[in-house]
């Protein structure tokens, strides 16, 4: 099912990816990983550009890079990206323990989800940047991440909301709320996937900052919603949800009351779920759903015709424990956390990847963000 028929460089890397440019978040020794911080990939070579603890998820907006530090009493850091290097700008309190996702919201707030504490935090980017600029103008301390002179955003620029304390049936994973990812909706709100409470919490977020709960969308017991993606655009878009704990992919649509209701669902693989855990999910340009399965080390592709979800096929992720992936023209790049590498998989015409044609060595990769030139 190989799709990209391309030549290779002298070191065996696909010629059409010679200009590949990525930012990679990883786990460091703090979280049991083998990286030292954030890496930049040019072609087939990765280089550490910011040393920090467990930058497991990144977001890129313009020349700004935002990284969580997935630790107890977590934080989020902002960098200016230029010339392949990162200049540290500021840090902010993540508002909870183990922040695992960060995203720039259209409202102008940076939205951070904290897994262990089950909280969601909004940071006013305007206030954070203004504060960093004023500090830099006064004594010039901005720039050295890891120093004692780091710029910390004032508490007035940060607000945190707590997810309702709902427990699911999986005792060792759903003992309380676990905020895993946020996504903007076409309605101008924010959805937060709560793996612990089997729910999607809908908030209205503003850049003041402020967070207000709008409604809760309940899923079935033991789903464990992890990551989400939109299928389609605008008011007619459906929401795709990866159930980490039950191994199923869900397609949801708003009813007349505004509640997201499942209209289709299907298992991503056959057999018992066991330790097979869905991770990241995206929709490709053809409208197919792509989801990674840890434990089975698969990438699964699903067709979405006729309001349904049907497995088209699956393929090896090219390594062990596919935590995240990114789509670039002709290829799927998979962050195989326990292989210390990003696998380069050519994508076939049916959307299903072929065997890995290259590996990019990166310690414990957890997040891949393509940088567009």
């Amino acid at each position: 099912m190989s799709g990209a028929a391309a030549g290779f460089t002298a070191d065996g890397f696909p010629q059409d990816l010679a200009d590949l440019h990525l930012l990679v978040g990883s786990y460091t020794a703090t979280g049991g990983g083998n990286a030292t911080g954030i890496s930049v990939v040019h072609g087939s070579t990765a280089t550490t550009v910011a040393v920090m603890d467990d930058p497991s998820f990144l977001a890129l907006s313009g020349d700004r890079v935002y990284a969580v530090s997935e630790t107890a009493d977590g934080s989020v850091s902002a960098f200016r990206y230029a010339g392949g290097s990162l200049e540290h700008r500021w840090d902010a309190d993540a508002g909870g323990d183990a922040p695992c996702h960060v995203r720039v919201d259209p409202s102008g707030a940076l939205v951070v989800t904290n897994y262990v504490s089950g909280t969601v935090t909004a940071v006013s980017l305007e206030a954070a940047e203004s504060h960093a600029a004023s500090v830099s103008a006064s004594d010039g301390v901005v720039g050295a991440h890891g120093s004692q002179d780091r710029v910390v955003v004032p508490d007035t620029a940060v607000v945190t909301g707590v997810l309702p304390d709902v427990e699911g049936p999986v005792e060792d994973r759903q003992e309380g709320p676990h905020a895993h990812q946020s996504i903007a909706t076409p309605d101008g709100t924010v959805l937060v996937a709560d793996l612990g409470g089997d729910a999607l919490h809908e908030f209205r977020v503003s850049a003041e900052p402020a967070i207000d709960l709008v409604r809760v969308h309940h899923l079935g017991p033991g789903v464990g919603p992890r990551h989400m993606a939109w299928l389609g655009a605008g008011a007619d878009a459906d929401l795709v949800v990866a159930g980490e704990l039950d191994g199923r992919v869900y397609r949801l649509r708003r009813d007349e009351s505004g509640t997201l209701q499942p209209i289709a669902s299907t298992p991503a693989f056959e057999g018992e779920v066991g330790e097979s855990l869905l991770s990241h999910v995206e929709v490709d340009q053809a409208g197919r759903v792509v989801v990674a399965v840890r434990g089975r080390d698969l990438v699964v592709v699903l067709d979405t015709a006729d309001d349904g979800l049907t497995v088209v096929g699956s393929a090896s992720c090219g390594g062990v424990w596919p935590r995240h992936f990114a789509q670039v023209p002709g290829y799927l790049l998979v962050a195989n956390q326990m292989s210390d590498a990003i696998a380069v998989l050519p994508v076939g015409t049916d959307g299903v990847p072929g065997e890995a044609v290259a590996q990019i060595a990166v310690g414990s990769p957890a997040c891949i963000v393509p940088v567009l030139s």
Side-chain angles (χ1 to χ4, degrees):
M1 299 180 184
S2 176
F8 292 85
T9 62
D11 60 357
F13 199 69
Q15 184 67 51
D16 54 349
L17 290 182
D19 295 328
L20 185 66
H21 190 183
L22 310 171
L23 287 160
V24 182
S26 295
Y27 284 102
T28 65
T30 301
N34 297 314
T36 55
I38 302 172
S39 302
V40 167
V41 171
H42 287 289
S44 60
T45 303
T47 305
T48 300
V49 290
V51 175
M52 62 181 293
D53 287 338
D54 290 343
S56 64
F57 209 90
L58 312 176
L60 174 66
S61 179
D63 67 349
R64 290 296 190 265
V65 176
Y66 304 99
V68 300
S69 182
E70 191 179 334
T71 60
D73 298 322
S75 62
V76 60
S77 297
F79 301 85
R80 177 177 177 271
Y81 186 55
S85 63
L86 288 176
E87 174 196 9
H88 178 244
R89 295 293 299 167
W90 48 262
D91 294 326
D93 186 351
D97 299 333
C100 60
H101 187 268
V102 61
R103 182 183 58 81
V104 177
D105 191 69
S107 66
L110 188 69
V111 179
V112 183
T113 50
N114 299 288
Y115 181 80
V116 170
S117 56
T119 55
V120 56
T121 293
V123 180
S124 168
L125 289 176
E126 181 178 5
E129 288 292 330
S130 176
H131 178 72
S134 66
V135 172
S136 179
S138 63
D139 55 22
V141 301
V142 172
H145 189 274
S147 74
Q148 296 300 313
D149 298 321
R150 292 185 300 171
V151 176
V152 178
V153 173
D155 291 343
T156 53
V158 181
V159 64
T160 297
V162 180
L163 302 189
D165 189 4
V166 179
E167 296 181 12
V170 183
E171 292 183 2
D172 61 338
R173 296 295 308 278
Q174 295 187 307
E175 75 292 345
H178 292 306
H180 216 304
Q181 185 211 27
S182 77
I183 190 171
T185 77
D187 304 299
T189 56
V190 171
L191 289 170
V192 175
D194 177 7
L195 184 146
D198 289 325
L200 308 178
H201 304 278
E202 188 168 1
F203 293 90
R204 191 163 299 281
V205 175
S206 62
E208 280 73 15
I211 295 179
D212 298 300
L213 183 64
V214 177
R215 60 170 63 88
V216 179
H217 309 272
H218 295 282
L219 301 177
V223 170
R226 179 186 174 93
H227 277 199
M228 305 168 284
W230 287 108
L231 173 62
D236 295 329
D238 290 342
L239 184 71
V240 177
V241 180
E244 175 171 333
L245 301 184
D246 72 350
R248 299 181 70 90
V249 180
Y250 293 81
R251 181 173 183 172
L252 282 64
R253 183 175 294 169
R254 284 195 193 269
D255 63 17
E256 293 181 354
S257 71
T259 300
L260 286 163
Q261 299 281 5
I263 62 168
S265 75
T266 191
F269 49 83
E270 296 181 354
E272 296 295 325
V273 175
E275 296 302 316
S276 302
L277 307 174
L278 302 194
S279 58
H280 189 53
V281 64
E282 292 187 8
V283 175
D284 70 12
Q285 289 188 333
R288 294 172 294 235
V289 172
V290 184
V291 64
V293 187
R294 295 166 296 171
R296 298 192 179 219
D297 297 333
L298 295 174
V299 174
V300 180
V301 179
L302 302 96
D303 183 75
T304 60
D306 302 322
D307 288 345
L309 285 171
T310 306
V311 174
V312 174
S314 62
S316 168
C317 67
V320 179
W321 211 251
R323 189 176 187 89
H324 193 253
F325 59 81
Q327 302 176 73
V328 298
Y331 296 90
L332 192 71
L333 308 176
V334 184
N336 289 312
Q337 181 184 342
M338 295 185 183
S339 296
D340 292 325
I342 295 170
V344 180
L345 310 181
V347 176
T349 56
D350 60 358
V352 180
E355 292 184 5
V357 295
Q359 301 281 346
I360 304 170
V362 184
S364 307
C367 175
I368 303 172
V369 179
V371 179
L372 302 179
S373 57

